[in-house]
Amino acid sequence: MLNLIFKDILLQKKTLMILLPILFFYLFTGSSPSYVAIIFCIAIIMNAFAIDEKSSINLLLNSLPYTRKEIVSSKYIGAIVFIILVLLTIFFGNWIIHREIIQWKQMFLIISIVAIFVSLSFPFSYLLKSQYLMIAMGVSFVIYMIIANKFIPDINDRIREAVQTFLSFSTSQQYLLLFLSVVIFYSFSWMLSIRIYSRKVF
């Protein structure tokens, strides 16, 4: 299964060589490290997923000595690897450019949001295709803009307040509870994706 993870990293080599320097640029402009990290994590992870959706690659993977459980598991483990790569870039980039060390609470927020996104998107993408996920995200964005403009004008402020509330948690028990919730949700998504993929016919 490690070979499948390395395969994803190698296939993403050109993408990483392009995106990681762009990540440095956004840090240099003073953009929010958390927001930038979340966007880049999702872009890299979903690009790696989309590459394997080609029917020829699926046929090749299923003809190799790997079980479908291993193929799916490599995606979930690979997502964690890509998150770590982006976080390391953010950490060192922020320190080099701004001489600031990103707070562990911010890193935890990034990991939690990306893990939840992966937990929701992977089963959906295995059931249908990631291109439908992109359509769903586009529709969701349009709905969000309508809500922000017509019904809840201060929705962005409410989101920022929610993030600040998260970052202001004062006890380790609160973070531990959230961490366990994210791990359980991620694990459930992992098992669900294995079940969905094992029933697919190529």
Side-chain angles (χ1 to χ4, degrees), residues 71-106:
I71 293 172
V72 173
S73 296
S74 71
K75 288 298 178 191
Y76 278 83
I77 296 172
I80 296 172
V81 172
F82 288 128
I83 292 171
I84 292 171
L85 286 175
V86 172
L87 286 179
L88 286 174
T89 305
I90 288 283
F91 181 86
F92 288 110
N94 208 46
W95 182 77
I96 292 169
I97 297 170
H98 302 294
R99 289 293 187 268
E100 295 177 353
I101 296 178
I102 188 170
Q103 294 182 358
W104 69 268
K105 290 181 179 181
Q106 286 179 286

Side-chain angles (χ1 to χ4, degrees), residues 53-64:
E53 279 190 316
K54 297 176 181 177
S55 58
S56 57
I57 294 181
N58 265 308
L59 289 172
L60 175 62
L61 287 175
N62 283 278
S63 67
L64 294 173

Side-chain angles (χ1 to χ4, degrees), residues 24-37:
F24 261 89
F25 171 76
Y26 274 105
L27 290 175
F28 186 77
T29 61
S31 300
S32 168
S34 300
Y35 177 77
V36 172

Side-chain angles (χ1 to χ4, degrees), residues 41-187:
C41 281
I42 291 174
I44 293 170
I45 290 169
M46 293 312 297
N47 185 60
F49 191 97
I51 290 173
D52 276 1
E53 279 190 316
K54 297 176 181 177
S55 58
S56 57
I57 294 181
N58 265 308
L59 289 172
L60 175 62
L61 287 175
N62 283 278
S63 67
L64 294 173
Y66 298 113
T67 64
R68 294 196 174 189
K69 179 179 179 179
E70 289 175 323
I71 293 172
V72 173
S73 296
S74 71
K75 288 298 178 191
Y76 278 83
I77 296 172
I80 296 172
V81 172
F82 288 128
I83 292 171
I84 292 171
L85 286 175
V86 172
L87 286 179
L88 286 174
T89 305
I90 288 283
F91 181 86
F92 288 110
N94 208 46
W95 182 77
I96 292 169
I97 297 170
H98 302 294
R99 289 293 187 268
E100 295 177 353
I101 296 178
I102 188 170
Q103 294 182 358
W104 69 268
K105 290 181 179 181
Q106 286 179 286
M107 299 182 76
F108 185 71
L109 175 66
I110 295 165
I111 294 170
S112 299
I113 291 176
V114 176
I116 291 171
F117 177 85
V118 169
S119 300
L120 293 171
S121 63
F122 273 19
F124 181 91
S125 297
Y126 276 119
L127 185 62
L128 301 172
K129 280 189 176 181
S130 62
Q131 65 184 31
Y132 294 107
L133 177 64
M134 296 303 295
I135 294 172
M137 289 175 64
V139 172
S140 299
F141 178 75
V142 171
I143 293 173
Y144 172 82
M145 293 303 295
I146 293 172
I147 292 173
N149 290 317
K150 299 292 184 182
F151 302 104
I152 312 176
D154 63 339
I155 189 170
N156 291 327
D157 294 330
R158 294 188 185 189
I159 292 172
R160 278 192 288 269
E161 287 176 9
V163 171
Q164 289 303 318
T165 300
F166 171 85
L167 295 175
S168 65
F169 283 171
S170 57
T171 63
S172 57
Q173 287 87 350
Q174 289 173 306
Y175 285 102
L176 179 60
L177 180 61
L178 182 59
F179 173 76
L180 291 175
S181 300
V182 172
V183 169
I184 291 171
F185 190 49
Y186 198 80
S187 301

